[in-house]
Amino acid sequence: MSLARVYWRGLWSGRLVLGYTLLLSLTLFILAPFLMITLRSVGKGWFGRLWFPPQLTLDWYRWAIEVGNIPEVMKNTLIIGVIAVAVSTVIGIFAGWAFGRRQMPGKELLMAVVLLPRMIPPITYALGVAKIFYTLELVDTYLGVALAHVSVCAPYAILVLSATFEGLDERVLEAAGVCGANTIKRFVYVVLPLIMPGILASMIFSFTHSYNEFTLTLLTYGPHTVTLPVRTYLAVGDGYWEITSAMAVIMVLPSLLILAMIQRRAKPERLVGGLKGV
Amino acid sequence: MSEGMIEFREVTKRYGGLVANDRLSLTIRRGELMTLLGPSGCGKTTALRCLTGYIRPDAGRILIDGKDVTDLPTHQRELGMVFQNFALFPHMHVWDNVGFPLMIRGAPKAERARLVAEALRLVRLEGYEQHYPRQLSGGQQQRVGLARALVYRPKVLLLDEPLSNLDAKLREEMRFEIKEVVTRLEITAMYVTHDQAEALALSDRVAIMNRGRLEQLGTPEEIYEQPQSRFVAEFIGLSNFLEGFVQALQDDRMIVQAQHLRLSVAALPRVTPGQKVLLFLRPNEIEIQPRRDPAAANSFEARVEKATYLGDTMDYRLTLGQGLDLRVQTDARHRHSPGVSVWLHLPRVRSWIAEQQ
């Protein structure tokens, strides 16, 4: 074996070690807080400087569900999520059609306006929303909280669906017209199936944003519309760290479920306007 | 009922200052395959899109089978169309693609199955029913497109550069296939292309368009043999042009002086001595001989500048001196090397009066 090769091998294994170290630290950085919360949610009598809880228990979950009223809260979160997704998707389809397929003056400016709710600090925006909702008596209603979420979800839906509509082949629609399909049939039989991946992507984005939304919920919720993030936050205020941790873990589960679904069922690159290559 | 299946009556379409169709009038007869031929930007695509209803003409009427369709939306015009980029529905397999026009029209299931199977047999795609467009080759996709266009027996078939996205060899095969299918179904077809070889091979009649207007309308033979303008002559086939003036008239011949050449050409009607004319020669109608043939008229000495071997033909650039160059194509069996002096014999020279060009 030549010297150069020995050196090369050394360098190679050195790079490998470096790479794995980096990867491991990154993983820890991402996972450590989550690991901590999970441990906390099942640990008993875990005080001081111990690295691992001395006793394991599922009591905190029982507490979270019974005292923290998690099933009810989960129901609220899901209902609000579904409303927010429905409204955002409808807005996204119409706006996406316009942005993706129409030439209009000031398109960029309009797009900027659409994205504005995401640019200004959430608390500033939420305060304004709250003021309006108090006037309209929308505070502490499913619709109210969901509509507040739409301001966050719709921009994503519009972005994703604009890209999807842009990728639609104009000539395929023309072909459908020549084949005898009127506007409605063209939409049902050709447009809709072709933009379905985009709609799915937009729904997933919208749902995750609604599900995770905290600031806007905090200023528009009431006793009947407590959502998971807010409930968890309130539990922190009550000082029960173990129960809070259990709630936090429960809250993560649906997100993981969705993530697994996306990974298995669809390639992410196909979801976002991936129709161009078809 | 008139003879015309498709009729353009003074159709005009402007895009800003650009006139894409300038009072275009054209009649396509029942059962005829007509090609709209022209360079890009000549207005052929605009004419097609006016016919499909995709754009609305600014003025003029369009008739299909005697019925004014100018104000009808696309889906009510009962058309079949084949697209350049195939434009198949990517989310449907072949069977559903071909059956789409029938499904839209609410045809009963049994009839639909029969017609789809028939259309697929027509384009020789049996066995591909469950394939998606992306699983097919370009040629197969275009055959699906053809089947979809024909499946419900529309009154007219429109073909928008259907072969441009295929490779050269396949293009020629498909040319005959389309011609055969159209002939067998006796359907009226309008074929849009910029490829003159396609137009000559396929059409019953060719309409050559230029700058939004109809330049010449005729059978492939008429278009090739008797081009009525320099534009048509240049567009169809290869051509050499010489400018000259009429020196004398002798019976049905005229003597034309083109630079230092004196040519005897069939006289044009109502031509007078002194008038400027434009002469036009097809490269394959010029003969090259090693020696002068004393019996032949229009014989000139020339020097071979460039000789290109094209397999079945030789392509020569010859100079006759004084900046006069001709392109000549001959049988590849007789070859002349560059630098050699030869005699050109011009048995057939066409001409037009120059001002009219």
Side-chain angles (χ1 to χ4, degrees):
Chain A
M1 202 185 275
S2 74
L3 198 63
R5 234 170 125 182
V6 174
Y7 270 110
W8 173 247
R9 284 205 132 199
L11 200 66
W12 180 245
S13 49
R15 280 164 57 145
L16 221 61
V17 169
L18 202 71
Y20 274 119
T21 314
L22 209 69
L23 198 68
L24 194 72
S25 0
L26 238 149
T27 315
L28 272 178
F29 181 70
I30 294 165
L31 281 183
F34 183 61
L35 210 70
M36 230 37 187
I37 290 293
T38 315
L39 276 181
R40 186 136 219 177
S41 71
V42 291
K44 203 170 182 182
W46 193 20
F47 305 110
R49 295 194 163 204
L50 288 175
W51 272 107
F52 201 78
Q55 257 184 298
L56 297 179
T57 174
L58 284 175
D59 278 357
W60 312 127
Y61 284 91
R62 195 162 52 80
W63 277 75
I65 288 165
E66 281 171 12
V67 182
N69 205 12
I70 287 300
E72 176 72 23
V73 171
M74 182 69 98
K75 192 189 92 191
N76 292 345
T77 314
L78 292 181
I79 290 175
I80 290 167
V82 167
I83 300 174
V85 165
V87 176
S88 308
T89 308
V90 170
I91 293 176
I93 289 176
F94 284 109
W97 174 274
F99 279 119
R101 303 199 60 78
R102 296 278 161 155
Q103 293 302 320
M104 47 186 176
K107 198 159 154 175
E108 280 76 21
L109 193 76
L110 262 172
M111 195 53 134
V113 170
V114 165
L115 297 179
L116 202 61
R118 290 274 64 192
M119 303 298 172
I120 53 182
I123 187 71
T124 311
Y125 192 78
L127 278 169
V129 169
K131 180 76 192 86
I132 297 168
F133 278 16
Y134 275 110
T135 317
L136 295 174
E137 294 187 349
L138 276 171
V139 171
D140 195 22
T141 60
Y142 284 143
L143 186 68
V145 179
L147 281 182
H149 287 186
V150 166
S151 70
V152 179
C153 304
Y156 283 97
I158 293 172
L159 270 183
V160 170
L161 284 164
S162 296
T164 310
F165 276 114
E166 246 174 59
L168 259 189
D169 188 346
E170 180 75 32
R171 283 160 297 190
V172 169
L173 302 189
E174 202 182 332
V178 173
C179 284
N182 59 23
T183 315
I184 294 165
K185 284 178 177 167
R186 272 207 299 274
F187 188 79
V188 173
Y189 292 116
V190 180
V191 176
L192 206 57
L194 287 179
I195 62 166
M196 217 50 204
I199 290 182
L200 224 69
S202 131
M203 284 170 93
I204 289 170
F205 275 125
S206 301
F207 185 77
T208 1
H209 275 97
S210 166
Y211 186 81
N212 295 335
E213 181 54 44
F214 175 68
T215 320
L216 279 163
T217 321
L218 193 67
L219 286 168
T220 49
Y221 88 104
H224 307 293
T225 52
V226 182
T227 66
L228 270 172
V230 170
R231 185 75 200 83
T232 311
Y233 171 75
L234 293 177
V236 175
D238 294 343
Y240 295 109
W241 271 98
E242 288 80 1
I243 299 174
T244 314
S245 301
M247 286 179 182
V249 171
I250 293 172
M251 190 160 79
V252 168
L253 292 179
S255 294
L256 290 180
L257 210 73
I258 289 178
L259 197 69
M261 240 164 61
I262 300 175
Q263 288 288 335
R264 187 167 303 179
R265 302 214 114 208
K267 293 174 190 141
E269 70 267 17
R270 282 208 58 186
L271 286 177
V272 188
L275 282 162
K276 278 179 181 159
V278 174
Chain B
M1 208 186 283
S2 66
E3 253 306 282
M5 191 67 179
I6 301 171
E7 251 182 274
F8 288 85
R9 286 191 186 161
E10 305 253 309
V11 171
T12 299
K13 176 74 194 172
R14 286 183 203 87
Y15 290 109
L18 184 89
V19 186
N21 279 171
D22 190 2
R23 278 174 287 127
L24 176 73
S25 289
L26 182 68
T27 303
I28 303 178
R29 297 180 198 133
R30 197 172 298 275
E32 175 180 52
L33 197 162
M34 179 175 299
T35 301
L36 283 194
L37 177 66
S40 51
C42 72
K44 57 187 193 298
T45 305
T46 304
L48 178 79
R49 299 194 134 199
C50 285
L51 182 57
T52 61
Y54 205 70
I55 53 179
R56 205 184 177 291
D58 299 327
R61 312 304 297 175
I62 292 169
L63 282 75
I64 296 176
D65 200 12
K67 185 177 155 202
D68 191 332
V69 297
T70 319
D71 299 317
L72 277 186
T74 303
H75 62 92
Q76 287 173 13
R77 294 195 181 191
E78 305 282 299
L79 305 164
M81 182 158 169
V82 182
F83 292 79
Q84 178 177 0
N85 71 335
F86 318 135
L88 300 176
F89 306 121
H91 58 296
M92 300 180 193
H93 45 55
V94 169
W95 181 272
D96 282 344
N97 258 288
V98 175
F100 187 79
L102 300 169
M103 189 264 287
I104 288 295
R105 285 172 176 77
K109 237 184 175 151
E111 196 198 341
R112 213 193 297 173
R114 184 178 63 78
L115 288 172
V116 171
E118 201 175 295
L120 285 176
R121 199 168 335 115
L122 193 70
V123 297
R124 297 186 287 110
L125 271 180
E126 304 111 311
Y128 288 93
E129 288 84 356
Q130 302 304 317
H131 285 61
Y132 282 91
R134 62 174 176 276
Q135 298 171 304
L136 301 177
S137 71
Q140 288 170 331
Q141 288 189 47
Q142 198 51 296
R143 296 222 292 271
V144 175
L146 188 61
R148 181 180 67 181
L150 292 169
V151 72
Y152 78 99
R153 295 292 146 79
K155 286 179 184 164
V156 298
L157 174 67
L158 311 176
L159 302 115
D160 182 15
E161 311 226 2
L163 306 182
S164 318
N165 279 8
L166 306 178
D167 57 68
K169 194 143 189 175
L170 193 61
R171 212 179 296 165
E172 246 168 73
E173 270 173 48
M174 283 292 291
R175 216 185 264 169
F176 292 111
E177 210 162 302
I178 288 177
K179 174 85 179 164
E180 201 193 304
V181 166
V182 170
T183 314
R184 197 185 323 164
L185 297 182
E186 295 175 341
I187 196 168
T188 309
M190 185 165 111
Y191 192 105
V192 172
T193 184
H194 63 269
D195 184 331
Q196 43 127 339
E198 239 168 74
L200 293 180
L202 274 169
S203 325
D204 296 317
R205 285 195 299 163
V206 182
I208 297 189
M209 289 190 66
N210 184 26
R211 288 196 232 128
R213 287 163 170 272
L214 195 61
E215 192 83 23
Q216 186 173 351
L217 176 66
T219 64
E221 289 86 347
E222 283 165 0
I223 296 278
Y224 186 83
E225 298 290 334
Q226 294 138 32
Q228 279 161 19
S229 64
R230 179 176 184 147
F231 176 83
V232 175
E234 263 180 337
F235 198 75
I236 302 281
L238 302 166
S239 42
N240 297 294
F241 296 100
L242 293 174
E243 280 172 33
F245 62 91
V246 180
Q247 218 178 35
L249 288 165
Q250 293 171 354
D251 305 328
D252 58 343
R253 308 289 292 175
M254 57 185 187
I255 304 298
V256 175
Q257 185 79 36
Q259 301 202 22
H260 64 292
L261 308 180
R262 265 170 70 94
L263 296 111
S264 165
V265 182
L268 288 163
R270 289 185 299 284
V271 77
T272 52
Q275 218 165 10
K276 278 193 179 160
V277 289
L278 188 65
L279 305 179
F280 141 64
L281 304 117
R282 292 277 186 213
N284 59 353
E285 289 172 355
I286 301 174
E287 289 161 20
I288 300 182
Q289 279 147 2
R291 277 171 300 279
R292 180 178 182 139
D293 177 2
N298 296 341
S299 210
F300 305 99
E301 192 171 17
R303 193 161 52 84
V304 178
E305 287 282 306
K306 229 191 249 173
T308 314
Y309 175 68
L310 297 177
D312 49 349
T313 52
M314 286 297 292
D315 188 87
Y316 296 104
R317 307 262 163 178
L318 300 127
T319 174
L320 292 114
Q322 298 186 11
L324 213 64
D325 293 324
L326 284 183
R327 189 167 173 193
V328 180
Q329 284 191 339
T330 64
D331 202 302
R333 276 173 297 183
H334 310 291
R335 298 201 200 159
H336 308 275
S337 334
V340 166
S341 270
V342 291
W343 283 87
L344 294 184
H345 179 212
L346 318 177
R348 180 146 197 222
V349 183
R350 300 177 187 79
S351 62
W352 306 290
I353 296 185
E355 302 94 80
Q356 290 170 4
Q357 292 305 311

